[in-house]
Amino acid sequence: MNSQQMQKNRHHILILIDYRNQFWLKANYKEANFDISLLKSEFVKLGWNVEVMNFNQIDFKNKNYQGTYIIYQSSEDPNHFYKSYIEDCLLGLKLKGAILIPEFQYFRAHDNKVFMEILRDVNDSIVLKNPTSEYFGCYQDYKKAMINKNLKAKVFKLSAGAQSKNVFLLKAKNDFIRIPKKLSRSFSFYYWFVDQIKPYLKKQYPCYRKKSHHRRKFIIQNFVSNLDGDYKILVYGSDYYVLSRKVRPKDFRASGSGLFKYTKEIPDGILNYARKCFNAFDVPFMGLDIAEKDGKFYLIEFQFVHFGNYTLEKSPFHFFYTEEGWKIQESEVILEKEFANTINEFVQNKF
């Protein structure tokens, strides 16, 4: 690529949409989507050369994507079939020299609590380390790891799922066996039948070992007791949107409870904590679930791609950081404009 082409690509952004011509979801109504035309026009106003295409239109054979900025979405389709296809395309673009925003590892963490916890563990920032989790690829590994352990209350979470789906409290001794075994089930009659036959075919399979039928990966997270709720915080660059979420009666889960409230009366230090968590990663935006107990903060979950924007879209105000401290701005926000401005600021600061 010559210098003129490289200069051109520094201002070239490619917006990838899925087979339904959708990007990120909005909160207007069920399955509402970004206004792609508005998003494109906002980037154009900021001086970008913008192209919109479907994933299947990427030309890996003939086109050079060196230096092209890529913004994309993920997918929460059943069994992650289409998400797996997006993953292939994104890695291909990386091999062709494209710049993913955010980088691939942050896409990998979407709807994938196992990799989310791995990102937490490999990061050097101390603010990310509470609560801690263990993660497993099958029930058999979990069962071995739990032998002789002191079974204090824990939270079980399947790796995939949102709004408290597949999240359970392990409290009684039987919970530690029953719930992980049941929820990790991946039974297939065909492979079960093969398992019954092969041990008898000792000449062909002298060392055969039966496969696990509980291979849905999951995490076991330390339980923070006596919480009455948490805070969903969306970070778009320097703007912080905060939603208070209460737990349901006789429950411990705030996500998906519907007991939401916008309030300026938030715990002292929570925005500073959120800012430290955000700065620990190289991303333009982030969704954080943060709990507070006795002045201590806990990062329950976090996402970087395709998270819900209800907290931003419905908020009558947001917080932003200055050298004098945190300020509040009362205004309605246009999601597509905020998204484009955040990407533009991120690229200008990073590249």
Side-chain angles (χ1 to χ4, degrees):
M1 179 181 288
N2 60 41
S3 59
Q4 186 177 4
Q5 288 175 312
M6 291 181 66
Q7 182 66 31
K8 179 182 177 182
N9 276 11
R10 285 197 186 99
H11 301 282
H12 184 208
I13 198 161
L14 175 58
I15 302 174
L16 291 174
I17 55 178
D18 67 15
Y19 64 97
R20 298 188 295 174
N21 295 327
Q22 291 192 330
F23 191 60
W24 287 30
L25 296 177
K26 295 179 66 173
N28 303 42
Y29 53 86
K30 191 73 172 178
E31 294 288 325
N33 191 250
F34 267 52
D35 183 331
I36 301 298
S37 296
L38 176 58
L39 179 62
K40 181 178 179 179
S41 69
E42 291 296 337
F43 275 114
V44 170
K45 289 177 186 176
L46 294 167
W48 288 92
N49 173 27
V50 185
E51 188 177 4
V52 179
M53 68 170 59
N54 297 95
F55 284 94
N56 69 290
Q57 294 176 308
I58 301 170
D59 186 356
F60 288 111
K61 296 184 181 70
N62 303 304
K63 192 166 181 179
N64 193 332
Y65 293 95
Q66 185 74 35
T68 298
Y69 295 97
I70 309 293
I71 60 172
Y72 59 89
Q73 78 284 316
S74 184
S75 174
E76 295 179 4
D77 63 310
N79 299 308
H80 286 168
F81 293 140
Y82 193 75
K83 183 173 187 262
S84 176
Y85 172 68
I86 293 175
E87 177 176 313
D88 295 337
C89 293
L90 295 179
L91 282 174
L93 286 166
K94 281 288 293 181
L95 292 173
K96 294 287 284 187
I99 303 169
L100 303 184
I101 302 178
E103 285 289 354
F104 179 79
Q105 64 265 32
Y106 302 116
F107 162 81
R108 182 72 181 175
H110 174 249
D111 206 24
N112 184 349
K113 294 180 179 66
V114 165
F115 195 71
M116 179 193 77
E117 291 298 332
I118 291 173
L119 277 184
R120 187 202 298 263
D121 288 346
V122 301
N123 196 295
D124 292 332
S125 177
I126 192 67
V127 298
L128 306 174
K129 304 305 182 183
N130 213 356
T132 59
S133 300
E134 297 178 83
Y135 25 88
F136 302 94
C138 67
Y139 174 74
Q140 285 74 9
D141 283 345
Y142 162 78
K143 190 176 179 180
K144 292 175 187 176
M146 297 306 291
I147 292 176
N148 299 325
K149 279 202 172 183
N150 183 13
L151 300 181
K152 295 181 180 179
K154 303 278 187 179
V155 177
F156 170 93
K157 300 180 182 181
L158 274 186
S159 187
Q163 295 185 335
S164 296
K165 185 179 180 181
N166 300 320
V167 177
F168 296 90
L169 181 62
L170 309 181
K171 201 169 182 180
K173 185 176 181 180
N174 187 51
D175 294 339
F176 285 84
I177 300 171
R178 178 181 58 85
I179 292 175
K181 187 173 184 179
K182 178 181 178 181
L183 272 295
S184 65
R185 190 173 187 266
S186 58
F187 181 78
S188 161
F189 178 79
Y190 172 80
Y191 289 110
W192 174 86
F193 182 76
V194 169
D195 275 344
Q196 310 312 305
I197 299 298
K198 283 189 176 180
Y200 294 99
L201 305 176
K202 294 183 180 180
K203 289 185 178 180
Q204 295 95 320
Y205 305 99
C207 300
Y208 184 76
R209 298 291 184 271
K210 290 185 177 181
K211 296 179 175 63
S212 170
H213 294 283
H214 298 85
R215 290 176 289 102
R216 297 182 72 188
K217 61 186 179 180
F218 58 91
I219 72 170
I220 304 294
Q221 189 174 72
N222 283 353
F223 175 55
V224 184
S225 62
N226 300 318
L227 295 175
D228 63 356
D230 68 11
Y231 294 87
K232 166 67 75 175
I233 300 180
L234 297 191
V235 184
Y236 270 73
S238 57
D239 296 335
Y240 288 65
Y241 301 84
V242 182
L243 180 68
S244 171
R245 309 186 301 187
K246 298 299 181 183
V247 300
R248 293 165 288 220
K250 299 182 180 180
D251 201 348
F252 69 99
R253 297 166 294 188
S255 177
S257 70
L259 304 175
F260 303 152
K261 180 183 178 182
Y262 291 100
T263 176
K264 298 173 185 176
E265 303 299 321
I266 57 177
D268 289 341
I270 192 170
L271 291 175
N272 288 330
Y273 176 78
R275 185 167 179 261
K276 289 177 182 177
C277 292
F278 175 65
N279 288 338
F281 299 100
D282 186 21
V283 292
F285 26 63
M286 185 175 180
L288 308 96
D289 297 352
I290 297 175
E292 183 269 339
K293 180 182 177 183
D294 300 328
K296 187 174 182 178
F297 298 109
Y298 301 83
L299 180 60
I300 306 300
E301 289 186 12
F302 48 97
Q303 293 288 348
F304 311 97
V305 175
H306 210 73
F307 46 77
N309 281 289
Y310 177 96
T311 300
L312 180 153
E313 293 180 82
K314 303 297 183 180
S315 180
F317 57 85
H318 65 271
F319 302 85
F320 63 97
Y321 183 78
T322 70
E323 292 183 359
E324 294 78 32
W326 290 96
K327 307 292 184 182
I328 297 177
Q329 182 172 335
E330 313 239 4
S331 63
E332 292 186 8
V333 176
I334 299 172
L335 178 57
E336 290 84 353
K337 184 174 183 178
E338 180 79 330
F339 189 95
N341 285 336
T342 300
I343 293 289
N344 185 66
E345 181 182 353
F346 178 75
V347 171
Q348 296 302 322
N349 291 337
K350 182 176 174 61
F351 302 102

